[in-house]
Amino acid sequence: MTELPPLDLDGSSLTIADLVAVADRGRRVRLAPAARERMLATRAIVDRIVASGDAVYGVTTGFGKLSDFAIPHDQLAQLQVNLVRSHAAGVGPRLPAREVRAMMLLRANVLAKGYSGARPDLAELLCGMLNVGLYPSVPEQGSVGASGDLAPLAHLALSLLGEGELNYAEGAGRASSSAGTRRSGPAADVLRAHGLEPVVLGPKEGLALINGTQAHTAVAALALAEAKRYWETAHVAGAASLEALLGTPAAFDARIHAARGQRGQMESAAKLLALLAGSEIRESHRENDARVQDAYALRCMPQVHGPVLDALRFAESLIAAELNAATDNPLVFDDGTMLSGGNFHGQAVAMALDVLAIAMTNLATMSERRIDRLVHPDLNEGLPPFLTPTAGVSSGFMMAQVTAAAITSECKVLAHPASVDTIPTDGNKEDVVPMAMGAATKLRRVLHNVRHVLAIELMSAAQGLESRRPLRGGVGVEKAYATVRSVVPALVADRVLGPDIEALADLVLSGAFEL
């Protein structure tokens, strides 16, 4: 694979594809020269305000409910260090390395935008850490997504000060489990071992590191890229199931979907028709098919998969904008003013995350119902009961469907929106919060479940297709069948299915079933 050129961070042009390349493939990053100049200019404004003695939130005052407390000039630097240390109060499991790397990239990019009033040194240190594979341990719990992801970002900021521990691993950003063993050490020592120096914070710079939406947005951007792969895979799995169940593609006729006019639905139907093109299985039962209509899980794939695509596009519009958003507070403008607002409030991305969780749960629900039809002796159009050639003495795919049912049901619980919840924080100064980080971490769990449900469907559909041999399915279906069989052999006698499901889930994660 050709190595990509370094990515220039300018605060305005970062894309989701860029983020994935850095988080998962280790693309190098650097601060764009124009961004460096912008940061120096707004930093000079902060320095002038500090010298003037004016009261400015978070620069010469305390934070949140303590914003009425003026801070003596000789304690302004300590104020920023204390802010980072006190806000590093996260708990729970650590975010995966790739999510931390994405968060680091986003934080460097928002600093590069120039509204934070921070020196270029902070963004350049984040870039340097990314380029040598360093990342801190960041607990995933502790943020309500208002005033930004304060706790997660504070744990990140600590490492820039040389405090806490830093981790290093070859391939640490990658989504697969093939990354090298993580090694940890004291942050200051690890930084210097890689030719990097901790920063000494100036006025406002602690606030500039922790105010923002970068933790939940990092998870959201990576999750969106993953969700797109699963949308593609759901069509492949659904088409294979339809072939195995002797279904009809008539319901995917473009005229039906044009009559409704829903964009995602039309695109979904077209994908299904392309996958099923050239099917010998369909031709074998076209004339003698007594069924007028298939069950909804087969017939209505475009009507369900299509709105999922529409939801993905809605979420992408919000998440993509947030990658280059100025989410600090207060913001420093080049006319010399510093304005306090609420751009750190995470409602936009929180809603996108909740929509994604709902949409992907619908994919899992449809897939699980198709799995049930494949194994159900009364519904599977003459396929062997539970897809085993020795039903009775063997249980075949019976428990695979149970697993799919269990994790699909879990998705339904996780699809309850987090962004409609709120609980006041910071002495009721932050009285309406979006719970964006909770929305992010539960979406990650939904996606884990969805890829495993799709893996079970692919495995079941492949087994069903073998019962229709020597007839072959559509071109796209046969390609998917070969991909399944590259890692999972046909079921001849009962065996442990867990490893097969995991192997296929890894293939789904990798994008092997994308059209």
Side-chain angles (χ1 to χ4, degrees):
M1 182 182 296
T2 305
E3 184 175 348
L4 293 170
L7 175 66
D8 286 322
L9 296 184
D10 58 14
S12 60
S13 60
L14 187 67
T15 67
I16 291 173
D18 292 333
L19 180 142
V20 172
V22 173
D24 284 344
R25 297 192 290 277
R27 184 178 182 182
R28 295 178 64 82
V29 293
R30 63 191 178 193
L31 185 64
R36 194 175 201 282
E37 293 305 312
R38 236 179 4 255
M39 293 183 72
L40 287 170
T42 53
R43 181 65 210 173
I45 293 170
V46 173
D47 290 340
R48 286 199 299 271
I49 290 173
V50 171
S52 73
D54 291 344
V56 177
Y57 171 75
V59 180
T60 59
T61 74
F63 308 100
K65 190 70 171 176
L66 302 177
S67 59
D68 294 334
F69 287 75
I71 308 301
H73 191 277
D74 62 353
Q75 294 182 30
L76 293 181
Q78 189 61 46
L79 171 70
Q80 301 300 314
V81 175
N82 287 350
L83 174 71
V84 171
R85 289 173 178 163
S86 66
H87 283 58
V91 298
R94 272 38 184 175
L95 292 173
R98 64 193 296 259
E99 293 179 358
V100 179
R101 287 175 59 80
M103 182 169 68
M104 295 166 67
L105 175 70
L106 291 178
R107 200 62 217 163
N109 193 55
V110 74
L111 293 174
K113 201 166 184 69
Y115 289 102
S116 298
R119 291 167 296 154
D121 307 51
L122 276 67
E124 289 172 338
L125 179 54
L126 284 166
C127 291
M129 291 166 66
L130 283 168
N131 290 340
V132 297
L134 301 181
Y135 63 99
S137 294
V138 177
E140 69 176 34
Q141 293 175 293
S143 172
V144 296
S147 282
D149 294 309
L150 294 171
L153 288 169
H155 283 274
L156 169 58
L158 273 179
S159 66
L160 274 67
L161 307 185
E163 298 187 12
E165 286 197 335
L166 272 173
N167 308 308
Y168 171 80
E170 288 289 346
R174 289 167 175 75
S176 72
S177 58
S178 60
T181 303
R182 188 179 75 176
R183 300 195 300 275
S184 302
D189 295 344
V190 174
L191 286 172
R192 292 185 175 115
H194 288 84
L196 302 170
E197 281 293 323
V199 295
V200 177
L201 296 179
K204 195 185 181 299
E205 289 185 330
L207 191 60
L209 287 173
I210 72 168
N211 244 179
T213 61
Q214 286 69 48
H216 67 259
T217 302
V219 180
L222 291 171
L224 178 66
E226 191 176 331
K228 286 182 173 181
R229 295 197 290 273
Y230 301 168
W231 185 80
E232 297 273 359
T233 304
H235 288 81
V236 175
S241 294
L242 183 134
E243 293 270 53
L245 291 166
L246 303 181
T248 173
F252 309 147
D253 189 299
R255 292 169 293 183
I256 295 172
H257 306 285
R260 191 178 196 184
Q262 292 287 354
R263 178 185 173 192
Q265 179 179 323
M266 290 187 285
E267 292 183 39
S268 177
K271 283 187 181 292
L272 289 163
L273 284 177
L275 286 161
L276 295 163
S279 170
E280 295 174 356
I281 296 176
R282 171 57 183 158
E283 291 304 315
S284 73
H285 65 91
R286 181 190 295 270
E287 300 300 328
N288 300 316
D289 197 342
R291 284 177 298 170
V292 177
Q293 296 178 328
D294 289 317
Y296 284 4
L298 299 174
R299 184 186 2 146
C300 295
M301 281 190 280
Q303 287 83 358
V304 176
H305 293 194
V308 172
L309 178 59
D310 296 330
L312 288 171
R313 286 172 171 154
F314 163 75
E316 183 169 15
S317 69
L318 296 177
I319 295 166
E322 197 73 2
L323 300 189
N324 297 292
T327 57
D328 196 358
N329 184 56
L331 296 177
V332 185
F333 294 89
D334 55 13
D335 63 359
T337 59
M338 191 178 294
L339 298 176
S340 184
N343 279 1
F344 46 61
H345 198 286
Q347 192 69 39
V349 175
M351 289 176 62
L353 288 158
D354 281 340
V355 167
L356 285 174
I358 292 167
M360 299 311 290
T361 295
N362 278 289
L363 278 190
T365 299
M366 289 288 279
S367 179
E368 186 280 325
R369 288 293 79 202
R370 293 192 295 264
I371 295 165
D372 181 65
R373 299 192 79 82
L374 286 163
V375 302
H376 199 309
D378 298 333
L379 302 175
N380 66 7
E381 301 298 325
L383 292 174
F386 299 101
L387 300 173
T388 175
T390 54
V393 68
S394 299
S395 296
F397 285 64
M398 181 187 294
M399 288 308 298
Q401 185 269 327
V402 172
T403 297
I407 58 180
T408 297
S409 186
E410 183 180 278
C411 288
K412 296 170 188 176
V413 175
L414 294 169
H416 179 83
S419 60
V420 297
D421 190 18
T422 184
I423 188 168
T425 59
D426 188 25
N428 218 40
K429 188 84 168 185
E430 300 164 2
D431 55 345
V432 181
V433 301
M435 300 299 178
M437 199 63 189
T441 54
K442 71 184 181 67
L443 173 60
R444 190 204 303 134
R445 179 72 174 185
V446 167
L447 291 172
H448 172 275
N449 291 347
V450 171
R451 72 172 173 265
H452 284 80
V453 174
L454 291 172
I456 293 169
E457 183 181 4
L458 286 162
M459 185 172 69
S460 303
Q463 188 76 11
L465 288 169
E466 293 192 343
S467 293
R468 306 302 182 191
R469 294 300 189 228
L471 299 174
R472 298 177 64 81
V475 175
V477 169
E478 289 298 326
K479 181 181 177 182
Y481 168 82
T483 303
V484 171
R485 285 290 172 257
S486 70
V487 294
V488 175
L491 186 71
V492 178
D494 277 354
R495 64 172 185 260
V496 178
L497 294 178
D500 292 341
I501 297 169
E502 293 292 356
L504 271 178
D506 283 346
L507 273 186
V508 172
L509 176 61
S510 74
F513 295 96
E514 288 185 86
L515 303 181

